[in-house]
Amino acid sequence: MQVVDQLQVQSIAKLARLRFSEQELTAFTDQLNQILEYVEQLNELDTSMIEPTAQTAFVQPFLREDQVQQGLSNQQMLQNAPSQLGGLITVPNVLDEL
Amino acid sequence: MTDIANFDWTQLTTGLKNKAFSSRELTQAYLRRIEALDPTLGSFLHLSTETALKAADASDARRTNGTLLSPLDGLPIALKDIFVTQDIPTTCASRLLEGYIPPYSSTVASRLEAAGTVLLGKLNMDEFAMGSSNENSAYKVVRNPWDLNCVPGGSSGGSSAAVAASLCAASVGTDTGGSIRQPAALCGISGIKPTYGRVSRYGMIAFASSLDQAGPMAYDVATCAAMLEAMAGHDPHDATSAQMDAPRFELPSTSDLQGLKIGLPAEFFGEGLDAEVQASLDRAIETLRSMGAELIPVSLPHTSYAVATYYIVATAEASSNLARYDGIRLGQRKVPEFEDGVDVDLLTELYERTRSEGFGAEVKRRILLGTYVLSSGYYDAYYLKAQKVRTLIRQDFEKAFEQCDLLLAPTTPTPAFGLGENLNNPLQMYLSDILTISCNLAGLPGMSVPCGLTSNNLPIGMQLLGPAFREDVLFHVGHAWQLATDWHKQRPALAL
């Protein structure tokens, strides 16, 4: 059963900023279809009167005084940056012209 | 010094206390075993030899001065490479994080350090915690110490193999769909996934934020209890952290389970279960009866929908959590090649190349699935639907716990499978999680303890599932079980 075709998988990949070879695209499309076919079974259940469970933690809002606390230094935060200059992270040009 | 390979919680702590050996000697003993055995097993991604020995010496000094930090002081442990550790490389077994050195430590790592444990290193896992066999590690495979051609389970494969092979006194893993319990079962050790919110997720690289939970893995329940006491408790850094203090777990001194009601969920037994696993559970049920427990049948009617629910919810959350790996602030950035005259969106190129080259196939598969189920037009049909089925699964447990104190089930349908066996069939791999998954969806605590060996000398584990925040019941029964039986004392035959 085909729920998605290669073109659709291609556009989902684009949304997730992923790209694939022809081979990978075929394999992923097949696997995705198998999984999506499997999860169809959830439609056997009537959930019209059921509230969704977003999370199971029994949390109440935990507030604190708005006081500045110790954080990481700029140097620490930059230590894993792939490319940096003058205390800033550098990236390729995003704008063509200013 | 005597072979530490068989040392349980009592022997380790007594030995340190009576100065039969020092923390340094103990640490060195484990390091020798790692050197001898880990090239074959592949459980460690990073060894922190120097820092470990320093920490051991500091512990020995505290012991001399009478200023011990906790019952765990001086114990050499290792952490799944999903916990950020300051100045110690953390990769989540992904190429994308190769070379990443965290500038801070996770709460789990900090608390265990504050308890005086000695950190031996970081353990191998399935990439970004996605997998059930540790075959998805971008670095190397982990072999099951009981049979080197078999998987240790996953995603905490390194954590379970290292404990089973006595390369550390305890380890910490994470469990999103069974990733502590399943490898614990396949490697013949004890492991617990606490109630969601019990242990802080701060600094624990996120896979599925509403399911992830850290937990200890060790030879015995007693060690797991001591580890969880040190790890648990409210953390202001984690908004989903339960506003409770760290619990104290008092373990029973006898194996008497008089007055305890254990439920056997029908859907977790029967079809699909390996015959030897079934036989082992049957014997365990008889043993528990002889220990005084009452065993009653219960039902969790929506069990068969758990895997489908999980693979929508978890992948959706994962696609969101992994969006941060964009090569900008950290990680292995793949710089796009700029060709003269070719109009290319450099930023998109950077994102796509970084992510496509950095992530493995299983991660990409789950990101695709997650992105699809959250995408416009499909959110209601998939994600919202799954979250509603999740409520039904949760209600199943609530109803069952009205009749009993905890549930008993096998942890996995089969013992450890062969390396490569399920690699080309993702769906088949997913189905091996069928017995562990519901517990994560419901946010409840679950523990796996050894309960048998197959005719091929492979471990079999049984699962104890409890109501929210009732880890005490699991520890009580688990420890009583380990007083009455010696499955947890079995060791793989590994030559040094």
Side-chain angles (χ1 to χ4, degrees):
Chain A
M1 179 184 141
Q2 249 223 343
V3 186
V4 288
D5 59 28
Q6 286 198 12
L7 218 60
Q8 283 171 289
V9 176
Q10 192 85 277
S11 32
I12 299 163
K14 197 83 195 164
L15 287 174
R17 295 294 182 265
L18 292 170
R19 61 157 64 136
F20 302 126
S21 67
E22 269 305 314
Q23 237 181 340
E24 284 175 314
L25 188 60
T26 311
F28 279 135
T29 305
D30 282 340
Q31 288 157 359
L32 231 64
N33 273 310
Q34 265 177 40
I35 299 165
L36 288 173
E37 192 185 336
Y38 178 74
V39 302
E40 268 307 304
Q41 60 178 264
L42 294 186
N43 290 322
E44 293 166 18
L45 296 168
D46 177 9
T47 54
S48 48
M49 303 301 288
I50 307 290
E51 283 300 301
T53 296
Q55 53 127 323
T56 58
F58 307 106
V59 268
Q60 291 123 333
F62 182 77
L63 303 175
R64 63 175 174 88
E65 287 303 313
D66 185 12
Q67 280 164 355
V68 174
Q69 297 181 344
Q70 183 77 327
L72 294 177
S73 68
N74 276 20
Q75 192 209 2
Q76 281 176 306
M77 288 196 272
L78 286 174
Q79 78 184 26
N80 289 290
S83 173
Q84 52 177 293
L85 189 66
L88 302 171
I89 300 173
T90 57
V91 295
N93 261 356
V94 183
L95 303 170
D96 288 328
E97 279 154 36
L98 285 171
Chain B
M1 87 162 266
T2 22
D3 187 13
I4 51 169
N6 295 318
F7 279 24
D8 62 18
W9 170 251
T10 308
Q11 288 166 309
L12 283 171
T13 50
T14 309
L16 284 168
K17 182 172 172 215
N18 298 339
K19 306 210 173 162
F21 43 83
S22 63
S23 174
R24 172 171 263 259
E25 284 174 321
L26 188 56
T27 302
Q28 284 171 323
Y30 282 122
L31 287 170
R32 275 196 297 274
R33 284 185 70 84
I34 292 168
E35 195 178 6
L37 296 168
D38 210 47
T40 309
L41 294 174
S43 60
F44 276 86
L45 286 178
H46 181 86
L47 267 182
S48 314
T49 310
E50 287 317 307
T51 25
L53 290 169
K54 273 205 199 92
D57 289 340
S59 173
D60 288 330
R62 286 193 293 271
R63 197 169 297 275
T64 306
N65 297 333
T67 54
L68 292 173
L69 295 166
S70 83
L72 296 169
D73 206 316
L75 226 57
I77 64 165
L79 302 175
K80 184 175 183 177
D81 206 20
I82 199 171
F83 297 100
V84 298
T85 39
Q86 186 166 1
D87 301 331
I88 296 173
T90 302
T91 65
C92 230
S94 179
R95 286 292 171 198
L96 206 143
L97 290 179
E98 192 170 4
Y100 174 66
I101 315 256
Y104 73 111
S105 275
S106 55
T107 298
V108 163
S110 309
R111 286 190 180 173
L112 286 168
E113 192 183 345
T117 59
V118 171
L119 182 63
L120 290 166
K122 309 300 290 299
L123 296 167
N124 205 349
M125 52 184 282
D126 277 301
E127 187 183 358
F128 284 109
M130 299 181 190
S132 307
S133 64
N134 219 119
E135 292 171 294
N136 294 324
S137 166
Y139 292 92
K140 53 187 172 176
V141 120
V142 178
R143 294 176 183 279
N144 191 318
W146 291 82
D147 180 338
L148 300 176
N149 294 316
C150 284
V151 303
S155 58
S156 310
S159 304
S160 59
V163 168
S166 218
L167 305 186
C168 57
S171 67
V172 183
T174 63
D175 191 312
T176 303
S179 293
I180 285 175
R181 294 161 285 147
Q182 185 252 32
L186 300 192
C187 286
I189 65 168
S190 307
I192 177 170
K193 179 202 87 68
T195 309
Y196 182 84
R198 189 56 109 174
V199 177
S200 168
R201 293 183 302 109
Y202 180 70
M204 186 173 114
I205 295 173
F207 160 15
S209 307
S210 80
L211 301 166
D212 293 346
Q213 195 57 194
M217 301 168 76
Y219 272 150
D220 49 34
V221 168
T223 311
C224 290
M227 291 279 288
L228 189 57
E229 283 182 355
M231 289 161 64
H234 181 243
D235 179 15
H237 285 121
D238 176 0
T240 60
S241 161
Q243 278 152 51
M244 296 171 153
D245 293 328
R248 300 237 72 89
F249 299 116
E250 216 185 279
L251 299 177
S253 50
T254 73
S255 56
D256 180 16
L257 293 180
Q258 208 62 240
L260 199 80
K261 271 214 185 90
I262 304 178
L264 301 169
E267 296 80 5
F268 282 52
F269 293 88
E271 202 195 311
L273 219 56
D274 175 279
E276 289 191 271
V277 172
Q278 178 71 62
S280 182
L281 264 290
D282 287 338
R283 284 192 290 270
I285 288 164
E286 279 321 301
T287 306
L288 288 163
R289 262 202 195 105
S290 73
M291 287 161 68
E294 188 188 339
L295 284 101
I296 61 166
V298 295
S299 175
L300 299 172
H302 296 93
T303 299
S304 64
Y305 299 102
V307 172
T309 306
Y310 174 83
Y311 277 98
I312 292 175
V313 171
T315 57
E317 296 182 8
S319 71
S320 176
N321 280 324
L322 269 60
R324 73 191 63 180
Y325 301 109
D326 56 11
I328 301 297
R329 291 154 299 167
L330 52 87
Q332 290 294 318
R333 179 193 290 189
K334 299 298 176 194
V335 181
E337 274 124 31
F338 182 63
E339 287 165 53
D340 267 333
V342 177
D343 188 19
V344 134
D345 178 350
L346 291 174
L347 190 60
T348 305
E349 278 292 297
L350 188 155
Y351 288 154
E352 287 184 1
R353 287 198 58 204
T354 296
R355 291 163 64 80
S356 305
E357 288 175 43
F359 289 140
E362 184 58 37
V363 173
K364 284 191 268 203
R365 193 166 19 247
R366 297 199 193 192
I367 291 174
L368 278 179
L369 184 53
T371 307
Y372 178 72
V373 305
L374 287 177
S375 62
S376 172
Y378 295 110
Y379 175 90
D380 282 357
Y382 290 106
Y383 188 68
L384 195 60
K385 180 77 185 182
Q387 292 289 47
K388 291 182 176 186
V389 179
R390 189 176 178 178
T391 302
L392 294 174
I393 290 172
R394 201 161 49 83
Q395 288 172 348
D396 279 358
F397 279 100
E398 282 164 15
K399 288 194 194 106
F401 288 132
E402 284 167 15
Q403 304 166 59
C404 60
D405 302 301
L406 74 162
L407 302 173
L408 173 73
T411 308
T412 60
T414 68
F417 43 91
L419 285 158
E421 210 172 290
N422 286 333
L423 268 185
N424 290 322
N425 196 339
L427 191 55
Q428 184 66 28
M429 188 75 92
Y430 297 167
L431 289 171
S432 69
D433 292 333
I434 207 159
L435 300 174
T436 48
I437 258 176
S438 325
C439 151
N440 298 82
L441 291 168
L444 301 173
M447 173 188 283
S448 182
V449 289
C451 71
L453 286 171
T454 68
S455 48
N456 290 331
N457 209 42
L458 288 174
I460 298 169
M462 71 186 197
Q463 221 183 162
L464 305 170
L465 302 170
F469 300 104
R470 296 310 307 276
E471 291 86 353
D472 61 307
V473 178
L474 304 186
F475 281 121
H476 185 101
V477 178
H479 187 69
W481 170 258
Q482 291 185 344
L483 287 174
T485 64
D486 63 3
W487 292 113
H488 62 293
K489 296 190 183 178
Q490 307 305 311
R491 301 281 176 261
L494 284 168
L496 263 188

